[in-house]
Amino acid sequence: MAVQYSYDSSEDATPRRLLVTGGAGFIGSNFVHHWCHAHPSDRIVVLDALTYAGNRQNLAALEGQEQFRFVQGNICDRTLIDQLLQEEAIDTVAHFAAESHVDRSIIGPDAFIQTNVVGTFTLLEAFKQYWEHQQKPDDYRFVHVSTDEVFGSLGPDDPAFSETTPYAPNSPYSASKAGSDHLVRAYHHTYSLPTLLTNCSNNYGPYHYPEKLIPLMSINILLGKPLPVYGDGQNVRDWLYVLDHCRALDTVIHRGIPGETYNIGGNNEVKNIDLVQMICRIMDELASQHLPVKPSRELITFVKDRPGHDRRYAIDSTKIKTQLGWAPLVTVEEGLRQTLGWYLTHKTWWEPLLSEEYQAYYRQVYA
Ligand code: NAD
Ligand code: TYD
């Protein structure tokens, strides 16, 4: 992986045994690579249903390593979860599994309720029973990875979202994540389950499924296809490099206080149209000889806006910075260079993902 960090090995005094749900997805797989590299004495069990967004290739480099196990299965399958918690003597759940794409939630919200709400509930119930059966060890952790989208949409001059910002989710995706967050909070409040909740901003980096903004634009540039910018392109997102996010989650698992919520942001607010212009500029530079259309900004096309499109997200990361000592290290310019370079050299990863199912989805959203 291109960006490398060093780690504080004093965190490894007691090896952990992690169940990582959704570990074959974008952030989950980056997290698993991070963890295996940073904590080689720890056990990592990935549970992933391998939906359209899950890809076992993301973890190919770890197959066969003793510390790593992959299990294909659904977080709604209580019997399987009970079995894995016990047979692997899990002490830490890192919960990434979710339906994660806003546009898909607008077309078909059912799966979002099932996985994000019912799935999270199933995991919480299983972990609670298991933790109680083990006499409630105080070093067990359940980390729920959520989103800044639960806070709704900001105006241009509003302060960034903090941990006390009221919830106001606007899409079926963010509403389902908000539902899961409330369950996580309630399980700590009612049962003292050692849960931690994180709400992060938009991630980007390697292994990002092609439907999301940055991979979609990168791949379309390489294919000479139009770059569809929703509405007026003035929507703002706070971009977080995925390995910065993984470091933050590592910090929360080792140093976070159960029952607390931590906001994790990239400190990189950018308007969509400016981000797309940056992607074009960097891609023109990195792939100069190989682009079907150059300059690639000629491919930019404004298309119909997403229904209910949130205008601005921004995260105030003061709490995690001051209480746990984490801060993002990667600027959006640096992170984009790493990411676009990765897409450029990993055509064999993304090409098979542009399947007939994907094309059908694409036509439905962009027709
Ligand atoms: P992703 O869509 O790339 O991956 C989700 C993974 O979960 C896939 O591997 C999929 O197969 C798996 N999965 C889906 N349903 C499942 C089920 N029922 N049982 C087991 N596995 C299942 O998502 P991502 O972008 O990696 O996001 C990970 C988490 O981070 C999600 O909870 C998401 O809400 C949250 N998040 C993501 C972002 C972002 O920018 N990507 C930002 C904020 C929060
Ligand atoms: P996305 O990556 O889907 O993340 P989210 O909706 O969770 O923030 O989109 C990021 C921003 O880019 C969002 O404002 C919608 C916009 N967007 C486009 O303009 N065109 C696209 O084709 C996509 C996928 C997103």
Side-chain angles (χ1 to χ4, degrees), residues 15-289:
R16 287 194 167 268
R17 301 183 66 86
L18 279 78
L19 178 66
V20 181
T21 72
F26 162 48
I27 306 175
S29 61
N30 277 284
F31 175 82
V32 171
H33 283 291
H34 158 85
W35 202 278
C36 289
H37 174 67
H39 309 291
S41 308
D42 289 3
R43 173 79 168 157
I44 295 266
V45 180
V46 168
L47 173 65
D48 197 296
L50 296 181
T51 67
Y52 79 92
N55 187 347
R56 213 164 156 176
Q57 279 304 314
N58 298 358
L59 300 168
L62 299 169
E63 298 283 356
Q65 287 192 20
E66 213 176 311
Q67 73 173 140
F68 171 79
R69 176 180 170 194
F70 179 84
V71 177
Q72 180 169 0
N74 199 303
I75 57 165
C76 299
D77 182 345
R78 175 68 193 266
T79 311
L80 174 62
I81 294 161
D82 287 345
Q83 183 200 320
L84 285 176
L85 290 172
Q86 280 169 36
E87 97 189 4
E88 291 286 352
I90 297 297
D91 52 46
T92 304
V93 174
H95 176 33
F96 296 88
E99 288 294 333
S100 69
H101 191 37
V102 174
D103 291 323
R104 286 193 194 247
S105 83
I106 294 168
I107 300 168
D110 307 48
F112 288 73
I113 304 303
Q114 190 59 30
T115 286
N116 300 0
V117 182
V118 179
T120 302
F121 166 71
T122 309
L123 270 178
L124 283 166
E125 270 292 296
F127 190 67
K128 169 178 159 290
Q129 192 181 37
Y130 166 74
W131 172 73
E132 285 172 345
H133 193 251
Q134 308 288 318
Q135 312 302 324
K136 305 185 177 179
D138 61 11
D139 59 341
Y140 278 28
R141 296 289 180 268
F142 184 107
V143 180
H144 177 62
V145 179
S146 191
T147 168
D148 57 1
E149 304 195 22
V150 297
F151 300 120
S153 183
L154 292 169
D157 300 320
D158 288 340
F161 301 129
S162 77
E163 288 78 2
T164 55
T165 303
Y167 273 36
N170 287 320
S171 70
Y173 163 65
S174 53
S176 67
K177 290 296 289 188
S180 64
D181 291 10
H182 290 317
L183 284 169
V184 169
R185 183 182 171 281
Y187 270 66
H188 175 75
H189 187 82
T190 306
Y191 308 112
S192 303
L193 196 71
T195 62
L196 293 138
L197 177 54
T198 61
N199 295 91
C200 68
S201 57
N202 287 63
N203 283 226
Y204 67 107
Y207 304 119
H208 206 178
Y209 190 78
E211 69 194 353
K212 302 278 171 64
L213 179 72
I214 290 178
L216 186 141
M217 297 296 168
S218 310
I219 291 170
N220 282 11
I221 291 172
L222 293 172
L223 298 176
K225 287 178 61 179
L227 307 179
V229 176
Y230 295 159
D232 62 4
Q234 299 296 307
N235 305 66
V236 174
R237 298 294 183 262
D238 175 0
W239 292 96
L240 172 64
Y241 191 61
V242 67
L243 292 185
D244 271 338
H245 184 201
C246 294
R247 274 194 312 111
L249 293 172
D250 189 321
T251 303
V252 168
I253 288 171
H254 284 113
R255 291 182 233 154
I257 312 282
E260 292 290 321
T261 292
Y262 299 95
N263 279 4
I264 304 169
N267 201 22
N268 277 314
E269 276 190 65
V270 189
K271 286 181 183 152
N272 288 346
I273 186 61
D274 296 340
L275 187 84
V276 174
Q277 296 274 10
M278 277 176 90
I279 295 172
C280 291
R281 169 173 57 76
I282 297 171
M283 218 30 140
D284 286 353
E285 221 180 280
L286 294 181
S288 51
Q289 307 306 319

